[in-house]
């Protein structure tokens, strides 16, 4: 979807401001944003002056990385990620390394300190959250596609809701329809809440059944190409009670 070179260059331009030679990217969303790779158990190293990022992973993802991140340099680890990073840092002569503090566990930080004894580790405000917040036309198109999938799945779901169905059944049908329409999956666990259950902001669909004259709150989203949509709607089964209609209009 994206101009990956432009994204990488924006990060590399900030390296000097942080006083580091490289940035270790451990947040999976940032890894996908910068390389295209969507797997797990992997890190990315961005080094000043090098146009290609390094993806540190294991043999399970070797083929996937080459398909999804063809511009990346693949480093398949033989031991731990920290040990592979230490070897790469020595080869590249990295002496000052930036870390994403919100996405490095205490255990990982301890391991990094042990393996990279001659490298200064610095927690940096990498600016990637702000960078990702500014969407390109391609990203906006992906979000709009996710919305179209979400809306059509809701139309199909709302048309088949009947008294006696459980919240779980409605949520399962909704997520199934999103998959059928091409979604990667839901943006988040779908919320289907009948009647008073809807007072919980993040209600978990359960065995509660919808009823004639009742209402169902549905909070759901579709994910397509890594980009998410999110909507909330209320459906009435039959005639909506006057008091509920009054509350509904206030909230709307």
């Amino acid at each position: 979807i994206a101009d990956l070179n432009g994204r990488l260059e924006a990060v590399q331009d900030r390296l000097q401001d942080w006083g580091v030679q490289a940035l270790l990217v451990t947040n999976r969303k940032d890894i996908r944003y910068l390389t295209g790779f969507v797997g797990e158990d992997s890190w990315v190293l961005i080094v000043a002056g090098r146009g290609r990022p390094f993806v540190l992973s294991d043999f399970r993802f070797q083929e996937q990385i080459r398909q999804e991140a063809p511009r990346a340099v693949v480093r398949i680890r033989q031991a731990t990620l920290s040990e592979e990073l230490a070897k790469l840092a020595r080869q590249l002569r990295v002496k000052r390394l930036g870390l994403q503090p919100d996405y490095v566990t205490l255990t990982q930080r301890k391991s990094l300190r042990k393996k990279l004894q001659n490298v200064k580790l610095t927690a940096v405000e990498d600016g990637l959250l702000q960078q990702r917040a500014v969407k390109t036309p391609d990203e906006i198109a992906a979000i709009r596609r996710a919305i179209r999938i979400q809306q059509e799945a809701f139309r199909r779901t709302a048309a088949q809701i009947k008294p006696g169905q459980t919240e779980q059944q409605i949520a399962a049908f909704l997520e199934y329809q999103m998959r059928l329409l091409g979604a990667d999956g839901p943006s988040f666990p779908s919320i289907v809440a009948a009647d008073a259950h809807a007072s919980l902001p993040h209600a978990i669909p359960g065995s509660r059944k919808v009823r004639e004259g009742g209402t169902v709150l549905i909070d759901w989203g579709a994910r397509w190409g890594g980009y998410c949509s999110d909507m909330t709607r209320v459906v009435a089964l039959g005639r909506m009670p006057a008091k509920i209609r009054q509350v509904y209009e206030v909230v709307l």
Side-chain angles (χ1 to χ4, degrees):
I1 289 178
D3 176 10
L4 297 180
N5 286 334
R7 294 177 178 184
L8 286 167
E9 288 170 2
V11 175
Q12 288 175 321
D13 288 344
R14 295 195 290 271
L15 291 177
Q16 187 173 359
D17 297 335
W18 307 327
V20 299
Q21 297 168 285
L23 173 67
L24 178 65
V25 183
T26 47
N27 178 14
R28 285 181 61 185
K29 290 185 175 65
D30 290 330
I31 289 173
R32 180 171 188 167
Y33 176 77
L34 294 169
T35 68
F37 173 55
V38 302
E40 66 270 7
D41 291 337
S42 304
W43 291 345
V44 164
L45 186 69
I46 298 175
V47 184
R50 289 183 175 266
R52 301 172 66 189
F54 295 86
V55 178
L56 287 66
S57 189
D58 62 57
F59 70 93
R60 294 173 298 164
F61 300 107
Q62 188 167 1
E63 182 179 359
Q64 183 180 346
I65 296 169
R66 296 193 189 284
Q67 291 175 352
E68 296 174 346
R71 282 175 280 189
V73 179
V74 184
R75 294 281 301 217
I76 300 302
R77 63 183 175 89
Q78 302 302 316
T80 67
L81 281 169
S82 295
E83 288 172 324
E84 188 61 36
L85 176 64
K87 288 194 293 184
L88 181 58
R90 285 194 296 270
Q91 293 173 9
L92 298 174
R93 298 181 180 178
V94 172
K95 297 298 182 184
R96 300 182 306 280
L97 177 65
L99 302 179
Q100 295 183 297
D102 291 338
Y103 305 103
V104 179
T105 66
L106 290 172
T107 300
Q108 288 171 334
R109 190 175 293 221
K110 181 179 179 181
S111 177
L112 288 169
R113 285 201 184 104
K114 181 178 179 182
K115 301 300 180 184
L116 285 80
Q117 294 181 355
N118 297 320
V119 178
K120 181 181 179 181
L121 304 178
T122 304
V124 300
E125 176 53 59
D126 56 49
L128 277 164
L129 189 62
Q130 293 82 1
Q131 184 177 327
R132 286 196 286 117
V134 181
K135 304 303 184 188
T136 65
D138 283 344
E139 290 178 298
I140 294 170
I143 294 169
R144 285 179 170 152
R145 182 161 180 175
I147 292 170
R148 289 195 297 270
I149 290 171
Q150 171 186 38
Q151 288 179 314
E152 178 58 27
F154 173 75
R155 291 189 188 100
R156 296 181 184 184
T157 302
Q160 66 83 49
I161 295 177
K162 298 178 179 62
Q165 291 177 330
T166 67
E167 296 167 335
Q168 287 176 321
Q169 289 171 331
I170 296 168
F173 186 88
L174 175 63
E175 293 187 359
Y176 174 60
Q177 293 303 314
M178 288 194 289
R179 285 282 194 178
L180 285 181
L181 290 163
D184 304 338
S187 301
F188 49 86
S190 300
I191 297 170
V192 177
D195 297 321
H197 198 200
S199 68
L200 300 176
H202 286 178
I204 299 173
S207 58
R208 182 187 297 255
K209 294 181 179 180
V210 300
R211 61 183 179 83
E212 183 69 27
T215 57
V216 185
L217 180 143
I218 302 177
D219 187 347
W220 83 111
R223 189 177 71 255
W224 186 86
Y227 290 83
C228 298
S229 60
D230 181 1
M231 295 181 183
T232 307
R233 298 289 183 268
V234 172
V235 176
L237 280 74
R239 186 177 180 83
M240 184 180 284
K243 182 65 175 178
I244 298 299
R245 176 172 291 279
Q246 181 184 6
V247 173
Y248 174 85
E249 294 294 342
V250 170
V251 175
L252 183 62

